[in-house]
Every structure is written in C-alpha cells, then in structure tokens.
Amino acid sequence: MVDQSVSTPAVAYLMEVGVPFLQLTYEHSSEFDHGFGVEAAQKLGFDPAEVFKTLLVDTDGEIVCVVVPVDHRMSLKKVARAAGAKKAQMLPPEVAQRRTGYVVGGISPFGQKQQAPVIIDQSCLNQDSIVVSGGRRGFSLRLDVLDFVEAAKALVEDVIAAS
C-alpha cells in the first residue's frame, strides 16, 4: 500500500536531498519467522531481489551500513575487503539500534543518528528500483537504484555470500 503521510528521519533526509521515492506500508507481524526483509517482500508483493535489508557491521572499529538483497546472506569477508579492513563482524542489535535511532527490522540506510558509510551489493545494478526500510517495521521506501547510490553516497561492491 502506498502511503505518503509517514515521516521518519529517512523520509526527511530523502526530501532534503530531493530524491523521489514512494512510501510503502504493510502490517508487520511479530509471528512472521522468515526475517523482516522477506516479510516486506512478501507483504508488499515485490521480488526478493528488489528488496534490500540494512545491516550494521564493525570493520576494524569502523562501522559500515551494508545493504543486501533480503534473499541473500552477507559475506563478512567481502565486506571487510570492500571496507579496506582485515575483518568484519555484525554489530550487536542493541548497539545498531542505539547508533541508528531505529529498531532492528526497521533500520534504514538513510537518516541514521550516527550515519555510517553505506556499502550496497552490486546486484542492485540489476534492478531499476529497490525497496529499503523506511525507518520502522512495516514501512519501506522504493526508489531508483541510481538515486539510492547517490543519496546514500554508497560504495557498490560484491558483498553477498556465495550460494
């Protein structure tokens, strides 16, 4: 469902930088057990390759925001390489929430309290547009891939794990 009335720091940021986007909402269910991103893809009716999840990673003490398709796993080794680090590890959920100001399952790559550099998987280039979290569970944003890369100042790299 398209909803143009929701405001989050992610929405405010995209409006500020003049990037067009669509707001999409769905009813989040705490009983859905396949992951927040897969839930968004299913409930919004998008191919999982078009819906990207946001993960926070510590790369040798530097925090990066990694954006990958919901139907793939991130490779920590590839993230470390992309960030120029020796190793990478997932940030604990409570730390990610404190840093971003968002709850897990609703972390957006935009409008974070402490904005981390963004790395998006290169598979995004196979899509015209992508869907990412809008800053809360049940709320997503759809935008042109090139607009995403520009607005996020994202590094486009291969960061998904081999199947």
Side-chain angles (χ1 to χ4, degrees):
M1 166 188 295
V2 175
D3 182 349
Q4 295 295 7
S5 64
V6 180
S7 184
T8 64
V11 168
Y13 173 78
L14 290 173
M15 291 177 75
E16 181 182 310
V17 298
V19 170
F21 60 92
L22 274 179
Q23 295 183 26
L24 307 167
T25 58
Y26 60 92
E27 191 66 38
H28 165 65
S29 170
S30 58
E31 296 172 11
F32 193 91
D33 62 357
H34 297 295
F36 296 107
V38 173
E39 177 188 23
Q42 286 183 2
K43 290 188 173 178
L44 292 172
F46 287 101
D47 181 325
E50 297 175 79
V51 181
F52 283 63
K53 57 189 170 186
T54 306
L55 306 166
L56 275 284
V57 179
D58 180 335
T59 58
D60 294 345
E62 295 296 320
I63 307 304
V64 295
C65 176
V66 182
V67 184
V68 297
V70 299
D71 61 346
H72 285 83
R73 289 180 306 114
M74 168 186 61
S75 165
L76 289 171
K77 184 181 271 190
K78 289 180 178 180
V79 169
R81 189 177 316 122
K86 290 188 189 294
K87 65 182 209 173
Q89 61 185 10
M90 286 292 295
L91 218 55
E94 62 278 1
V95 177
Q97 290 181 152
R98 235 183 354 265
R99 251 191 92 82
T100 63
Y102 297 122
V103 297
V104 169
I107 295 177
S108 179
F110 303 110
Q112 299 173 4
K113 280 194 333 191
Q114 291 178 272
Q115 184 64 53
V118 176
I119 301 172
I120 187 168
D121 185 68
Q122 66 187 8
S123 65
C124 71
L125 300 176
N126 298 329
Q127 308 298 328
D128 292 328
S129 63
I130 60 171
V131 176
V132 296
S133 175
R136 66 177 198 217
R137 294 175 185 162
F139 178 58
S140 298
L141 304 172
R142 184 176 189 199
L143 63 161
D144 179 89
V145 169
L146 297 179
D147 285 344
F148 174 94
V149 171
E150 185 177 323
K153 300 176 184 74
L155 184 61
V156 180
E157 294 285 338
D158 173 17
V159 291
I160 56 174
S163 299

